[in-house]
Amino acid sequence: MPSLEGARARGESAIDAIRRRLTQQAADLLNEHPDFARGASEVGLIDRAWLEQPTERPIRTATSLDVIQRFLERSIEQEPSLIANMGLNAIQLLNVDTDDGRTGDARQVATIAFTDLEGFTSFTSREGDRAARELLEQHHRAVGPVIRSRGGRIVKKLGDGLLISFGAPEAAVLAALEIDETNETGLRLRVGLHHGEVELLGDDVIGHDVNLAARVADSAKGGEVLATTDVRSAIGTPPAGVTFGRARRRTFKGVDGSVLVCPVRRAG
């Protein structure tokens, strides 16, 4: 049990010290069972960020509705026929806008990610529509859990690409790298990230900053995660094991002025 002297030295009570110790023990126990921890974070019962820094982060930031939606999405990805048995109510629930209960405000700050698979059009022409459809289904099943575990939301599927919204820029960066690392399609993934203010339109997000994220993704090379320096600034200190490369100025069609972008990589 933590000593009272040690707790006082850290400026916390003995009760707080006990809570800190129990919190760390709970996270350690979950981390010893990675499959369970992955499933719990994927549906929002716990946050990945809490697992990584249990005494400094909240155990969960997802709302109850978020948890239900993530669970349904996960279940349907694993067993697509399930939606037919769940009926219209489940479909409607999946389409409810998840804005953490915020109402009356049509704008919010978010980190937007666009992804696409380089060479998908050529693959479709060469292999046919059925093979392309199977490739996308496999890709979506692989990346869905990663996105949800980082608190992200797939706003829409755009052919071979995804539009994803994250509440935290750090989570968006980590998810982008993990999405790329889980890509087993044989095609190289491109990811573009931008942090800014978006306009909510039902389940959709629109606005200049969304368009800018799309332009950044278009300019990325295959296998590259590219972010604006707005993402880097919003994060401050990069997550452990992540580094931002040298920033370069680029101009994009439909965007006034130049934009500073930098590659995001695993450190080392």
Side-chain angles (χ1 to χ4, degrees):
M1 180 177 293
S3 68
L4 184 57
E5 291 76 13
R8 285 172 175 167
R10 291 190 299 271
E12 62 183 5
S13 68
I15 295 298
D16 289 336
I18 293 171
R19 286 181 180 144
R20 175 182 289 270
R21 181 189 177 202
L22 292 176
T23 297
Q24 185 64 60
Q25 288 178 338
D28 291 343
L29 180 61
L30 284 171
N31 282 317
E32 290 174 4
H33 299 82
D35 289 341
F36 181 80
R38 185 164 47 248
S41 64
E42 186 184 332
V43 298
L45 291 175
I46 58 175
D47 284 357
R48 281 278 294 273
W50 174 78
L51 270 178
E52 293 157 1
Q53 295 178 298
T55 61
E56 300 176 23
R57 303 293 184 93
I59 190 170
R60 166 184 152 187
T61 55
T63 66
S64 297
L65 180 58
D66 287 334
V67 173
I68 295 171
Q69 287 180 311
R70 291 193 203 178
F71 172 75
L72 289 174
E73 289 170 356
R74 182 175 188 262
S75 300
I76 291 165
E77 279 178 359
Q78 295 175 340
E79 190 175 345
S81 62
L82 187 64
I83 193 68
N85 298 323
M86 298 179 79
L88 181 61
N89 289 338
I91 298 173
Q92 291 173 331
L93 183 56
L94 285 172
N95 288 325
V96 171
D97 187 20
T98 56
D99 61 346
D100 295 331
R102 290 184 290 270
T103 59
D105 188 354
R107 302 186 70 83
Q108 70 178 36
V109 174
T111 303
I112 298 299
F114 276 89
T115 76
D116 74 11
L117 293 168
E118 186 180 58
F120 180 75
T121 301
S122 297
F123 175 88
T124 303
S125 177
R126 183 176 66 254
E127 304 293 337
D129 289 337
R130 180 175 180 177
R133 186 165 54 251
E134 290 175 351
L135 180 143
L136 286 182
E137 289 174 353
Q138 175 241 326
H139 177 58
H140 293 156
R141 284 195 299 270
V143 303
V146 174
I147 294 166
R148 286 193 298 273
S149 72
R150 290 292 178 187
R153 179 173 71 92
I154 297 176
V155 178
K156 62 176 67 171
K157 297 174 181 177
L158 306 163
D160 62 307
L162 298 171
L163 164 56
I164 313 164
S165 175
F166 293 88
E170 178 180 324
V173 164
L174 290 169
L177 291 170
E178 290 162 6
I179 288 170
D180 185 45
E181 291 160 358
T182 59
N183 176 32
E184 296 181 351
T185 62
L187 304 177
R188 297 197 299 175
L189 188 73
R190 304 188 298 177
V191 185
L193 298 165
H194 178 57
H195 182 79
E197 192 175 53
V198 302
E199 185 172 350
L200 303 175
L201 187 63
D203 289 339
D204 206 355
V205 290
I206 61 174
H208 167 78
D209 289 319
V210 177
N211 296 335
L212 179 52
R215 298 299 187 192
V216 173
D218 287 342
S219 70
K221 300 175 183 177
E224 183 178 45
V225 176
L226 197 62
T228 64
T229 52
D230 295 278
V231 176
R232 185 178 67 182
S233 298
I235 290 175
T237 303
V242 176
T243 182
F244 288 92
R246 180 182 175 185
R248 299 182 181 275
R249 290 193 177 276
R250 292 191 182 178
T251 57
F252 300 117
K253 182 179 179 181
V255 177
D256 294 335
S258 60
V259 178
L260 282 170
V261 299
C262 52
V264 184
R265 309 183 184 98
R266 291 292 186 188

